[in-house]
Amino acid sequence: KLQFLYFIGKMSKANADAQELERNKRWIVMLLLVVAVTVRCMIIMHPHSGQGKPPMYGDYEAQRHWMELTTALPTSEWYVDGPDNDLQYWGLDYPPVTAYHSYILGKIGRWVVPEAFELHTSRGYEDYNSKIYMKLTVLFSELLIYMPAVWYAVNGVAFVKAPTAAKIDALALLWLHPCVLLIDHGHFQYNTVCFGLALAAVGAIARHKYLLGSFFFTSSFLFKQIGLYYAPAMFFGILSLCLSEGIYRGVSNVLTTGVVVIVTVGVIFSPWLHDFGAAGQVLHRMFPFARGLYEALSACTLFPWKKSSCRPSALRLPVSLPTSTW
């Protein structure tokens, strides 16, 4: 009897704690958000990778250069080598959604610190004000896309079944993930835009909103190619969920989802669709098979002692690694 009463007491206390956590969930999430932003601001105050290291100055310079490039040139010249666009100096090789993102940030940047985005004259520009602006663009991109997407995905996948504590743990893990913090804010990237769109797709699919999920995921891998790593999981996940609703409705959902993907790709690539050569150049920059996929950097990193691994013939290795991961 004593053991039974002790067990009942523990269960009652656990239920009371869970109810208390549920009542304070909003404040806990807000506190977690403040902590996540504070940690990012602390990292922002430190130097980024490549700072003060000519001639390329690191990925920070690549992102800055893309902002000046997209705001100074027409879309037809974004991916083409020319007198105003030297592809050997951080040529744009990310998909069009990244280019649009750079265009928006570059337009704002030209208003805030115009001297930092002057084509031909601002290479390696690392003025304090421009660095603050650039690093804040990463933070605000996360606040607008990544952090809401994490919340949407966590609550979509967990939905009602998972306890509040598990949802808060997932939020903390994703908002304070060391790789996200160090790569995007320390090194300097916008990976969280890609991940945020992918997570938004997960949240939508978990709620059986396949069309919205397809739009988000297509936007994700058209922001950065690494989104394609999740493509097999997304494809089979959507397929299984659609078919679980019955053959007729399932097939209808699959076809409609395919249409959404095609339309999304068409709209995003619309500035280049008037010319197959222009569209092909965009794809060539995104997937540089002729230069060795990812310019054979994966092969050179894995086998630095073997010179042949740094040649275009090393294409098999970078292709086989993602394929085996799928």
Side-chain angles (χ1 to χ4, degrees):
K1 288 182 179 179
L2 289 174
Q3 289 180 339
F4 176 73
L5 290 173
Y6 175 72
F7 176 74
I8 293 297
K10 286 192 67 175
M11 290 293 294
S12 300
K13 186 177 184 303
N15 288 333
D17 290 343
Q19 292 173 2
E20 183 68 20
L21 187 62
E22 182 66 30
R23 283 194 296 269
N24 295 318
K25 178 176 69 175
R26 179 179 300 178
W27 296 106
I28 295 172
V29 171
M30 289 179 63
L31 177 61
L32 185 59
L33 180 61
V34 170
V35 171
V37 172
T38 302
V39 172
R40 283 163 168 79
C41 290
M42 293 171 65
I43 297 173
I44 284 174
M45 302 308 295
H46 290 270
H48 54 266
S49 296
Q51 181 171 319
K53 296 180 180 179
M56 302 304 282
Y57 299 97
D59 280 357
Y60 170 95
E61 171 64 8
Q63 301 292 342
R64 187 209 60 77
H65 179 59
W66 293 349
M67 292 178 196
E68 68 181 5
L69 189 73
T70 53
T71 53
L73 301 179
T75 54
S76 59
E77 297 181 25
W78 287 359
Y79 291 91
V80 180
D81 195 27
D84 295 321
N85 185 14
D86 180 7
L87 294 183
Q88 297 303 312
Y89 185 79
W90 294 123
L92 184 59
D93 55 4
Y94 280 12
V97 178
T98 283
Y100 299 145
H101 179 255
S102 297
Y103 174 83
I104 294 170
L105 298 182
K107 280 292 186 183
I108 299 172
R110 282 180 176 270
W111 178 67
V112 178
V113 276
E115 64 277 6
F117 302 100
E118 293 294 334
L119 195 63
H120 301 305
T121 62
S122 58
R123 286 193 177 186
Y125 194 89
E126 294 179 339
D127 173 75
Y128 177 79
N129 291 333
S130 66
K131 286 191 292 185
I132 292 298
Y133 170 74
M134 289 288 291
K135 293 184 178 184
L136 286 178
T137 61
V138 181
L139 177 59
F140 283 109
S141 294
E142 288 191 350
L143 289 172
L144 288 174
I145 299 175
Y146 179 69
M147 291 184 176
V150 169
W151 172 261
Y152 185 62
V154 166
N155 283 279
V157 174
F159 216 52
V160 182
K161 299 178 182 178
T164 301
K167 296 179 182 179
I168 292 174
D169 288 345
L171 281 175
L173 176 64
L174 292 169
W175 280 354
L176 293 168
H177 198 292
C179 293
V180 167
L181 297 175
L182 294 176
I183 294 175
D184 276 26
H185 296 274
H187 173 65
F188 199 90
Q189 278 284 348
Y190 294 96
N191 290 314
T192 44
V193 176
C194 172
F195 298 151
L197 291 169
L199 285 167
V202 170
I205 294 167
R207 293 172 172 84
H208 297 272
K209 298 179 179 180
Y210 309 123
L211 304 186
L212 183 61
S214 298
F215 167 75
F216 280 137
F217 182 67
T218 304
S219 300
S220 171
F221 70 75
L222 288 181
F223 181 88
K224 195 169 184 179
Q225 299 93 319
I226 57 174
L228 287 171
Y229 280 110
Y230 314 125
M234 287 289 184
F235 173 77
F236 287 110
I238 293 175
L239 182 64
S240 63
L241 288 172
C242 286
L243 295 180
S244 68
E245 298 179 1
I247 296 297
Y248 176 78
R249 187 174 179 182
V251 171
S252 176
N253 286 336
V254 170
L255 293 176
T256 308
T257 298
V259 170
V260 169
V261 172
I262 293 171
V263 170
T264 303
V265 172
V267 170
I268 290 172
F269 274 84
S270 58
W272 301 275
L273 291 182
H274 67 283
D275 181 1
F276 285 116
Q281 176 64 13
V282 177
L283 293 174
H284 172 71
R285 292 296 301 169
M286 288 171 55
F287 304 104
F289 291 101
R291 295 175 280 145
L293 196 60
Y294 308 135
E295 302 189 44
L297 290 178
S298 299
C300 292
T301 302
L302 291 172
F303 303 106
W305 61 87
K306 189 174 181 181
K307 293 182 179 180
S308 61
S309 68
C310 299
R311 297 172 184 169
S313 60
L315 170 65
R316 293 186 299 274
L317 178 64
V319 168
S320 64
L321 289 176
T323 304
S324 62
T325 304
W326 290 348

